Amino acid sequence: MAKEIETQGIVLYNRDYREKDKLVKLFTANAGKQMLFVKGANAPRYKNKAAIQSMSVSAFVLNINENGLSFIKSISETQRFRKIQGDIFLNAYATYLLGLIDAVLMDREVDQPLFIFLLQSLRLIEDGMDAEVVTFIFEVQLLSRFGVHIDFEYCAICGCDNPPFDFSWTHQGVLCRKEADKSFEMASLNPNVLYFLSLFTKVNLEKINKITLKSEMKHDIREFLDLLYDEYVGVHLKSKHFINHMNEWVNYPPLS
Ligand SMILES: [Zn+2]
């Protein structure tokens, strides 16, 4: 039995299906993640090509089938993140955010706050905010959706809020100096990394102002977030692998 749904949605990815058709994975505001069959999408005369590109946002009318294929009935009001799509670096970060969304959500699980959070994140990147910093905020705030709850503000043992903190893998949280001194398994982090993570946990993307971080600081945050994701989340995305390598090749000077 088909159900008709009107919703805003963002394309997570599309892939070829048979010769002339495509499957499009959407993250929608009202129906969660949905895989849609688009007949003739590979044909030259197919008119909604832009709207089914990854990262395009549109108003959709969908025919959702509980069993079997679901279809797009109509597409309107398509918006694209042109700056992101035209820039290999920004595109890599945005693709990673879409991949995380795909990894964290079950199909058809409705999560409107997450939908809005994704759109805000992409808009910030499109509007020129540092994509690396937006990605940090995204990853930190997504941790709880992965079932990982880390308090970066209070000591996991005594509950105090006296920085500098260090991170304890065993306690899955921060420890004050007094407690950290008794422990042998601290991450030995620059305390500023934890300060920024605690800030990123609380930041509201709607009200955010410019955040500027030095590249060494970003490097340290990146390294620690990668460890956190390895240890507690265990999601390894190709797009993330690409970002790591991309940052390596930027560091090689061009031939002169
Ligand atoms: Zn303490």
Side-chain angles (χ1 to χ4, degrees), residues 67-82:
N67 309 302
L69 294 170
S70 298
F71 302 90
I72 297 174
K73 193 175 171 196
S74 74
I75 306 181
S76 56
E77 298 164 42
T78 298
Q79 304 163 43
R80 298 176 69 188
F81 296 102
R82 288 177 191 280

Side-chain angles (χ1 to χ4, degrees), residues 155-160 165 174-180:
C155 172
I157 294 181
C158 80
C160 73
F165 289 123
V174 299
L175 299 189
C176 65
R177 174 142 304 158
K178 185 166 65 82
E179 301 297 341

Side-chain angles (χ1 to χ4, degrees), residues 144-162:
S144 64
R145 289 290 199 287
F146 280 110
V148 180
H149 301 278
I150 299 176
D151 191 332
F152 292 102
E153 249 182 308
Y154 296 98
C155 172
I157 294 181
C158 80
C160 73
D161 60 351
N162 306 323

Side-chain angles (χ1 to χ4, degrees), residues 49-191:
K49 278 207 162 67
I52 61 166
Q53 290 296 315
S54 69
M55 249 173 272
S56 288
V57 181
S58 304
F60 292 92
V61 179
L62 305 175
N63 271 322
I64 303 295
N65 282 298
E66 288 293 326
N67 309 302
L69 294 170
S70 298
F71 302 90
I72 297 174
K73 193 175 171 196
S74 74
I75 306 181
S76 56
E77 298 164 42
T78 298
Q79 304 163 43
R80 298 176 69 188
F81 296 102
R82 288 177 191 280
K83 200 176 137 205
I84 296 177
Q85 283 170 328
D87 180 308
I88 187 169
F89 293 98
L90 301 184
N91 196 64
Y93 284 104
T95 302
Y96 174 53
L97 303 191
L98 298 184
L100 284 174
I101 291 291
D102 200 20
V104 79
L105 268 186
M106 306 275 286
D107 280 354
R108 302 177 182 210
E109 177 186 351
V110 179
D111 191 334
Q112 290 189 348
L114 189 59
F115 180 80
I116 292 163
F117 180 65
L118 173 65
L119 286 193
Q120 282 171 334
S121 302
L122 294 172
R123 283 199 185 114
L124 286 171
I125 297 176
E126 178 77 7
D127 292 345
M129 186 163 157
D130 186 339
E132 223 179 330
V133 173
V134 174
T135 301
F136 293 156
I137 296 169
F138 196 89
E139 286 175 295
V140 171
Q141 295 201 10
L142 209 60
L143 279 172
S144 64
R145 289 290 199 287
F146 280 110
V148 180
H149 301 278
I150 299 176
D151 191 332
F152 292 102
E153 249 182 308
Y154 296 98
C155 172
I157 294 181
C158 80
C160 73
D161 60 351
N162 306 323
F165 289 123
D166 199 353
F167 189 80
S168 158
W169 295 104
T170 312
H171 290 91
Q172 199 179 305
V174 299
L175 299 189
C176 65
R177 174 142 304 158
K178 185 166 65 82
E179 301 297 341
D181 283 346
K182 300 182 216 159
S183 178
F184 297 101
E185 46 81 43
M186 303 307 297
S188 300
L189 282 182
N190 174 344

Side-chain angles (χ1 to χ4, degrees), residues 87-90 92 241-255:
D87 180 308
I88 187 169
F89 293 98
L90 301 184
H241 192 72
F242 179 76
I243 290 174
N244 294 356
H245 284 275
M246 175 178 91
N247 288 331
E248 279 165 27
W249 32 269
V250 173
N251 292 329
Y252 289 105
L255 284 178

